[in-house]
Amino acid sequence: MQNFTYQNPVRIHFGKGEISKLQDEISSKQRVLLTYGGGSIKKNGVYKQVMDALAGREVYEFSGIEPNPHFETLMQAVKIAQEKKIDFLLAVGGGSVVDGTKFIAAAIDFNGDPWDILTKPAPLKSAVPLGCVLTLPATGSEMNGGAVITKASTKDKLFFIDPLVFPKFAILDPETTFSLSPRQTANGITDAFVHVLEQYLTYPAAASIQDRFSEGILLTLIEEGEKVLKHPNDYEVRANIMWAATMALNGLIGAGVPQDWTTHMLGHEITALFGLDHGQTLAIVIPAVMKFQAHKKREKILQYAERVLNIHEQNPEKAIAKAIAKTREFFTMLGVKTYLNEYGINADAIPKIIVQLEKHGMTALGEHGNIDLIASAEILRLALNA
Ligand code: NZQ
Ligand code: ZN
């Protein structure tokens, strides 16, 4: 196991009715900016629960944070927060709202051009405190210090990570997820599943506990993922998916092990250029990464095949091929496509993606740093069509 330092400061309130805890989490003296997306929280009753819990507080609102949140939109919120002297941000929604709010928190007191928060990742000097009510299990943003922001004008989708933007608390009520569409439910499960794979499918690091945790999360996502599309209002199914997604990217399973974020970095460029949902891009790229890196990831893919996918095949090459095929089948079962051409994207797209990867410095990806631009182009070719 590699050395590591691990701290996660996010207080979790999990379960039915926990939104009422906002009363205790936010003091009556705080000037709150409530941030949300395109209005799902008004349709499913979450907005009302939040406002009831915040009764008596000074609350301003900023709505319209879009999926893959835009820098341009978020800067409008920064202006409002500065004018109203906001001292607490409450994000209510999916990963995009939580990420966007982390950026707002960082930008309010930022000295200089706030886009530098994404491009020149010097540690932040300060950030306005934030909390969140999560309504879409997927990103893990509710319990990590990362955020992904898109500059729409240049199609740059970049991330920043800073301990100052960990939420102070996160409220996870599985009932808020009953209203998710099958597409968003499936995207979320895919995202969480791939987060685990990117911290697990590398090379053995004698980290049994991280491996067993990872395998537990993967198995839960497979088992509950099969159930949720048939039983979208089953509380226990939704609860297990929600907690699995949080555990997939809160630093726990990634501590002390090598990691490979190739799939996410390629996926971000595909979303920025072609508008696919985040989860959709991952289901396309990860099977191709597994195929391209099969020799370097051999031992861990075989472990995944046996322990998670229940593949008992003596021939290692066949076992790896079956593991890739079964991973694809899982995404397909969820209703998520696994090839670029299924979205009408063809070989012409590859040079465009490569230009963006180079611009963003994504030239040595993977647990060995061996995924250069030529390797990325080959991975994208493997992802083109069946
Ligand atoms: O905007 P509203 O109306 O709220 O609708 C949203 C949105 O259209 C809807 N939705 C959310 N909760 C709902 C709901 N609809 C019905 N009922 C509910 N309970 O779902 C749509 C998608 O929401 P979004 O927040 O965009 O999805 P997700 O949570 O998948 O977030 C994706 C973003 O997170 C980034 C992605 O790149 C992408 O920008 N990521 C952030 C990470 C992090 N901070 O650690 C890591 C991830 O790998 C990821 O990159
Ligand atoms: Zn993700």
Side-chain angles (χ1 to χ4, degrees):
M1 198 183 300
Q2 300 171 353
N3 293 10
F4 64 86
T5 301
Y6 179 63
Q7 182 180 19
N8 194 309
V10 183
R11 187 161 47 251
I12 299 288
H13 300 290
F14 191 99
K16 284 179 201 184
E18 291 290 311
I19 292 176
S20 62
K21 295 267 170 69
L22 286 171
Q23 292 170 44
D24 313 322
E25 285 288 2
I26 300 180
S27 99
S28 54
K29 295 195 193 78
Q30 278 170 312
R31 295 166 66 84
V32 181
L33 182 64
L34 166 65
T35 53
Y36 57 100
S40 69
I41 64 164
K42 292 218 164 152
K43 292 192 201 120
N44 61 13
V46 172
Y47 174 85
K48 184 171 183 314
Q49 287 186 62
V50 168
M51 291 312 268
D52 286 351
L54 292 178
R57 279 136 183 98
E58 194 169 349
V59 182
Y60 298 88
E61 292 184 28
F62 183 82
S63 64
I65 299 180
E66 56 281 272
N68 311 300
H70 292 175
F71 171 77
E72 292 87 344
T73 306
L74 301 169
M75 286 309 295
Q76 296 169 28
V78 171
K79 197 160 166 265
I80 293 170
Q82 288 166 337
E83 281 166 11
K84 302 290 182 196
K85 302 199 177 350
I86 294 299
D87 57 18
F88 195 85
L89 296 162
L90 178 63
V92 183
S96 294
V97 173
V98 181
D99 281 10
T101 305
K102 289 176 177 176
F103 174 78
I104 298 166
I108 289 173
D109 293 329
F110 190 76
N111 200 354
D113 176 359
W115 185 244
D116 288 351
I117 296 170
L118 282 307
T119 56
K120 296 179 194 156
L124 293 171
K125 295 200 176 73
S126 68
V128 170
L130 70 131
C132 67
V133 176
L134 187 77
T135 65
L136 198 175
T139 62
S141 186
E142 66 279 9
M143 204 176 175
N144 69 40
V148 190
I149 308 297
T150 299
K151 199 180 226 186
S153 59
T154 51
K155 299 191 190 300
D156 293 320
K157 183 171 180 176
L158 302 177
F159 68 90
F160 77 100
I161 300 176
D162 196 290
L164 288 180
V165 297
F166 270 106
K168 300 291 168 211
F169 64 85
I171 298 181
L172 279 63
D173 178 346
E175 287 190 327
T176 67
T177 70
F178 290 175
S179 58
L180 284 167
S181 65
R183 168 172 157 184
Q184 296 304 346
T185 300
N187 279 342
I189 294 168
T190 303
D191 192 18
F193 196 85
V194 174
H195 291 158
V196 179
L197 289 185
E198 294 203 86
Q199 299 164 90
Y200 171 81
L201 278 189
T202 56
Y203 53 85
S208 317
I209 189 75
Q210 291 89 329
D211 279 4
R212 291 294 188 183
F213 272 137
S214 296
E215 289 153 6
I217 299 170
L218 293 170
L219 282 165
T220 298
L221 290 168
I222 291 172
E223 289 161 7
E224 306 302 317
E226 281 172 3
K227 292 181 205 157
V228 72
L229 297 174
K230 290 190 204 97
H231 307 287
N233 291 352
D234 184 319
Y235 178 85
E236 301 302 347
V237 171
R238 290 288 193 181
N240 280 296
I241 291 172
M242 199 165 208
W243 193 224
T246 301
M247 296 305 283
L249 198 54
N250 66 0
L252 186 71
I253 62 169
V257 298
Q259 304 185 11
D260 170 14
W261 293 97
T262 305
T263 300
H264 266 71
M265 296 307 110
L266 270 56
H268 286 173
E269 302 300 358
I270 296 170
T271 295
L273 288 175
F274 304 105
L276 271 63
D277 296 344
H278 176 61
Q280 293 174 338
T281 68
L282 306 176
I284 291 168
V285 180
I286 199 140
V289 169
M290 287 169 72
K291 193 164 184 186
F292 184 78
Q293 292 285 74
H295 55 298
K296 296 217 186 289
K297 295 183 184 293
R298 184 185 173 91
E299 286 179 64
K300 291 304 285 284
I301 296 181
L302 291 173
Q303 182 177 320
Y304 165 64
E306 191 175 318
R307 294 187 186 176
V308 178
L309 302 176
N310 212 11
I311 295 169
H312 302 288
E313 164 65 61
Q314 293 310 311
N315 179 315
E317 311 316 320
K318 282 189 189 157
I320 290 172
K322 279 189 183 171
I324 297 171
K326 273 197 129 180
T327 303
R328 232 183 249 292
E329 276 166 30
F330 173 57
F331 299 141
T332 306
M333 182 277 298
L334 291 172
V336 188
K337 301 175 172 114
T338 64
Y339 288 104
L340 282 169
N341 74 333
E342 294 179 88
Y343 293 96
I345 297 174
N346 56 35
D348 300 350
I350 296 177
K352 295 178 191 152
I353 298 168
I354 297 299
V355 166
Q356 291 298 89
L357 284 169
E358 183 166 29
K359 177 177 166 195
H360 299 144
M362 301 296 168
T363 53
L365 300 171
E367 66 273 31
H368 305 285
N370 69 321
I371 308 290
D372 57 12
L373 296 175
I374 293 168
S376 284
E378 188 50 38
I379 290 167
L380 291 165
R381 266 191 290 280
L382 291 171
L384 269 182
N385 40 31

